[in-house]
C-alpha cells in the first residue's frame, strides 16, 4: 500500500468507510470449561490441526483441536489442575497471562518437551480480582511461532466485579482477537516479518470473521476483549454507539468510563459495558489501520510487500457486529454508578529505568532487541527487587517502533506518559508504548518470591531478546 492510500484509509474512518466488508456471521460461541465445586480440571493437548477459521481450513497449532482454545472459567479461591500434553514437534509450556500466582508455577523456564506431559496445579488466591486473562505458550524462542500458530485461549476469573448488582443482569460475550496468514501461518516469516513482528492479513474475533454478538434491547452487554495476536495492535471503535470501559488487564476500574477509541496492544485486555439503548439495528466494531512505526518502511517496499511473509500493510476490518435483540424489558437496565475502587499505590521506595531499543548487545556483541543494552540470556538475572517494596519503573522506548511492555506475576498502575500524569487509574500488566514514548509504571511486589520476567509483548521481539529476568527476593 502506498503512503497516500494509507493516509486516505486513515481519513476514511471518520467519514464513510471504503474498506472491504464481509457479511456478519452468526456467532458460534467458544467452548467453555467452568470450575465445579472449586476445581477446574482439564487436559490440553497442544497439537497441529486444521480447524475452520473464518470458514477456511488451514494448518494451525491448536489446543484440543480448537482455535481459539476453550474458555477456562474459575472463581477466586478455586484450584486449577491442568494437564498439558505436547504433541508438537518443538518444546512448549503454558503461561497464565493475568494471574497473580507464584512464578514457580507460572514458570516460563519450564520445558515440556515433544511427547511429554506436565500437570499444572495451583490455587487461585482467595482475594484474586475478577479478570479477563488468557493462556498461551511461553517457551523462549518458540513463543511467536506458537502463539501466531493459534495456541491461545481465554481465562476468566470471577470475583469482586461479578458481584456488582447491575452487572449480574448483564449478558456476556467474549472476543479473542487473532490475526492469521492462511498461506504462511506455520512458516518461518521473512527476516523483516520477524524483525517487525509477524502479522497476518486475516483478522478474526474468536476464530471468526465479523461474528454477530447479541445486544439485548434495554439490557446491558459485558464484552470482554483479548488481544491474542503475536504483533498486531488494534485500534477499536464502535461508531454511533456508546461503550464504557469497566475493567482493564488486572481488573475493574472505579466507575464505567465512556470510551471513543480503545487501543489494545498484544497481551492487553478490556471489559466493556454496552447499554442497549440506541436505535435497534446493527453496529460494527471496527479495527482501524494503525501505524506501529513501520508504515513508512512497508510503504517503501511497494508491491514487494505481498511477497514478504509476516509483513502486511495496515488493515482496516470489521471485527464483529453488535445486533440488537428484542426483549420484553420496557425500561432500560441501569448502568452501575460505581464498580470497584482502585487504591493508588503508595510512593515508591526505588525508581529504575528500562530502555527499550534495537541494537548491539553490550555483553554478547550481537544485534538484537535489547532492554538496558542487553538481550535476554537464560539464567541471567537483570533486575532484583524485594517483596512488598513499591517501585517506579520508567520505561523509555528509544526505538521508532511500538514496544508494548508486559510484566508477569504482579499488576501495576500507569502513573505517567511522556511527562503527563495518567488520568484514569487502572490495574494493568501490559502497557503500549509508541516509538520514542516514555511511560512510568508503579508496582508493588506482592505475595510471591522467585524469578519471573518482563518483556515486549510483540512476541518476535521477545524471542529476539527483548525480555529480562526479575528476581523477587524475600522481604
Ligand atoms: Cu502474554 Cu509473557 O506473556
Ligand atoms: Cu504474561
Ligand atoms: Cu517490541
Amino acid at each position: 500500500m502506498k503512503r497516500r492510500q494509507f493516509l486516505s484509509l486513515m481519513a476514511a474512518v471518520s467519514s464513510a468507510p471504503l474498506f472491504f466488508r464481509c457479511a456478519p456471521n452468526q456467532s458460534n460461541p467458544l467452548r467453555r470449561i467452568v470450575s465445579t465445586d472449586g476445581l477446574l480440571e482439564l487436559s490440553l493437548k497442544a497439537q497441529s490441526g486444521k480447524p475452520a477459521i473464518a470458514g477456511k481450513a488451514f494448518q494451525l497449532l491448536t489446543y484440543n483441536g480448537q482455535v481459539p482454545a476453550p474458555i477456562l472459567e474459575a472463581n477466586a479461591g478455586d484450584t486449577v489442575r491442568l494437564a498439558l500434553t505436547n504433541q508438537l514437534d518443538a518444546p512448549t509450556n503454558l503461561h497464565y497471562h493475568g494471574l497473580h500466582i507464584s512464578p514457580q508455577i507460572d514458570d516460563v523456564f519450564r520445558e515440556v518437551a515433544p511427547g511429554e506431559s506436565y500437570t499444572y496445579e495451583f490455587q487461585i488466591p482467595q482475594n484474586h480480582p475478577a479478570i479477563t486473562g488468557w493462556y498461551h505458550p511461553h517457551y523462549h524462542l518458540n513463543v511467536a511461532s506458537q502463539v501466531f500458530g493459534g495456541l491461545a485461549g481465554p481465562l476468566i476469573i470471577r470475583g469482586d466485579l461479578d458481584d456488582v448488582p447491575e452487572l449480574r443482569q448483564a449478558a456476556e460475550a467474549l472476543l479473542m482477537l487473532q490475526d492469521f496468514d492462511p498461506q504462511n501461518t506455520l512458516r518461518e516469516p521473512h527476516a523483516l516479518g520477524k524483525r517487525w513482528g509477524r502479522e497476518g492479513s486475516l483478522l478474526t474475533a474468536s476464530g471468526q470473521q465479523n461474528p454477530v454478538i447479541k445486544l439485548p434491547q434495554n439490557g446491558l452487554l459485558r464484552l470482554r476483549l483479548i488481544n491474542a495476536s503475536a504483533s498486531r495492535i488494534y485500534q477499536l471503535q464502535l461508531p454511533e454507539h456508546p461503550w464504557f470501559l469497566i475493567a482493564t488487564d488486572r481488573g475493574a476500574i472505579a466507575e464505567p468510563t465512556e470510551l471513543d477509541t480503545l487501543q489494545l496492544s498484544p497481551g492487553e485486555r478490556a471489559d466493556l459495558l454496552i447499554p442497549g439503548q440506541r436505535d435497534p439495528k446493527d453496529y460494527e466494531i471496527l479495527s482501524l489501520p494503525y501505524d506501529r512505526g513501520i508504515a513508512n518502511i512497508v510503504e517503501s517496499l511497494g508491491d514487494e510487500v505481498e511477497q514478504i511473509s509476516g509483513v502486511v500493510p495496515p488493515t482496516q476490518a470489521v471485527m464483529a457486529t453488535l445486533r440488537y435483540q428484542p426483549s420484553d424489558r420496557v425500561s432500560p437496565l441501569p448502568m452501575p454508578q460505581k464498580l470497584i475502587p482502585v487504591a493508588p499505590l503508595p510512593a515508591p521506595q526505588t525508581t529504575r529505568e528500562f530502555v527499550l531499543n534495537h541494537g548491539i548487545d553490550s555483553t554478547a556483541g550481537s544485534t538484537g532487541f535489547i532492554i538496558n543494552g542487553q538481550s535476554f540470556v537464560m539464567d541471567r538475572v537483570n533486575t532484583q527487587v524485594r517483596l512488598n517494596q513499591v517501585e517506579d519503573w520508567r520505561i523509555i522506548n528509544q526505538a521508532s517502533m511500538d514496544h508494548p511492555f508486559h510484566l508477569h506475576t504482579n499488576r501495576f498502575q500507569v502513573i505517567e506518559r511522556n511527562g503527563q500524569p495518567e488520568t484514569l487509574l487502572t490495574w494493568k500488566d501490559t502497557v503500549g508504548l509508541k516509538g520514542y514514548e516514555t511511560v512510568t509504571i508503579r508496582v508493588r511486589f506482592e505475595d510471591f518470591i522467585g524469578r519471573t520476567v518482563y518483556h515486549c509483548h510483540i512476541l518476535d521481539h521477545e524471542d529476539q531478546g527483548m525480555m529480562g529476568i526479575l528476581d523477587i527476593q524475600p522481604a
Side-chain angles (χ1 to χ4, degrees), residues 369 401-404 456-458 461-462 466:
F369 285 86
M401 82 176 100
D402 288 35
H403 290 298
C456 175
H457 217 293
I458 289 182
H461 298 174
E462 173 198 345
M466 198 173 257

Side-chain angles (χ1 to χ4, degrees), residues 285-451:
I285 300 179
L286 300 182
S287 165
L288 312 184
Y290 174 73
D291 177 12
R292 56 187 176 90
I294 60 174
N296 268 326
I297 322 174
V298 170
E299 174 214 342
S300 69
L301 291 170
D303 293 338
E304 242 178 276
V305 80
E306 312 283 315
Q307 278 98 60
I308 303 177
S309 68
V311 178
V312 294
T315 333
Q316 173 152 331
V318 183
M319 295 311 294
T321 297
L322 291 184
R323 178 162 297 165
Y324 269 71
Q325 296 294 301
S327 80
D328 24 0
R329 257 179 233 291
V330 277
S331 61
L333 274 181
M335 286 279 290
Q337 296 304 303
K338 291 269 164 276
L339 299 165
I340 308 291
V342 181
L345 285 169
Q349 283 122 328
T350 309
T351 298
R352 298 175 199 271
E353 286 192 349
F354 293 84
V355 178
L356 314 181
N357 212 340
H358 181 265
I360 314 280
D361 179 316
S362 56
T363 42
S366 54
T367 314
F369 285 86
I370 49 179
I371 302 179
N372 291 341
Q374 295 189 321
S375 274
F376 175 77
V377 173
M378 211 48 101
D379 296 323
R380 178 173 67 194
V381 172
N382 301 88
T383 307
Q384 207 174 68
V385 300
R386 290 216 176 268
L387 193 66
N388 299 327
Q389 295 272 94
V390 178
E391 298 201 355
D392 270 8
W393 287 11
R394 253 167 73 81
I395 303 156
I396 303 162
N397 184 2
Q398 278 183 355
S400 55
M401 82 176 100
D402 288 35
H403 290 298
F405 186 87
H406 172 45
L407 174 64
H408 283 216
T409 315
N410 288 286
R411 57 187 186 174
F412 58 75
Q413 293 175 343
V414 177
I415 302 299
E416 218 179 76
R417 185 179 288 270
N418 302 323
Q420 297 304 309
E422 190 82 340
T423 46
L424 188 64
L425 195 58
T426 65
W427 289 114
K428 298 282 292 166
D429 59 33
T430 309
V431 60
L433 276 95
K434 290 190 70 67
Y436 308 118
E437 277 198 323
T438 294
V439 165
T440 302
I441 62 172
R442 184 164 295 170
V443 52
R444 178 160 51 202
F445 303 98
E446 291 178 314
D447 302 318
F448 306 111
I449 56 164
R451 288 186 183 187

Side-chain angles (χ1 to χ4, degrees), residues 95-99 106 108 134 136 138 250 267 269 406-409 429-430 453 455 457:
H95 166 49
Y96 302 86
H97 185 140
L99 281 195
D106 187 14
V108 299
W134 60 303
H136 64 79
H138 216 296
R250 289 297 189 110
R269 292 88 67 208
H406 172 45
L407 174 64
H408 283 216
T409 315
D429 59 33
T430 309
V453 292
H455 60 86
H457 217 293

Side-chain angles (χ1 to χ4, degrees), residues 228-242:
S229 284
S231 317
R232 182 175 288 278
I233 297 171
Y234 294 87
Q235 295 284 330
L236 302 168
Q237 282 185 353
L238 180 59
E240 295 171 60
H241 203 291

Side-chain angles (χ1 to χ4, degrees), residues 10 32 54 79 132 197 203 255 318 405 411 450 453 473:
M10 300 286 270
R32 190 178 269 267
T79 296
T132 301
L203 276 65
E255 54 196 52
V318 183
F405 186 87
R411 57 187 186 174
V453 292
Q473 296 269 308

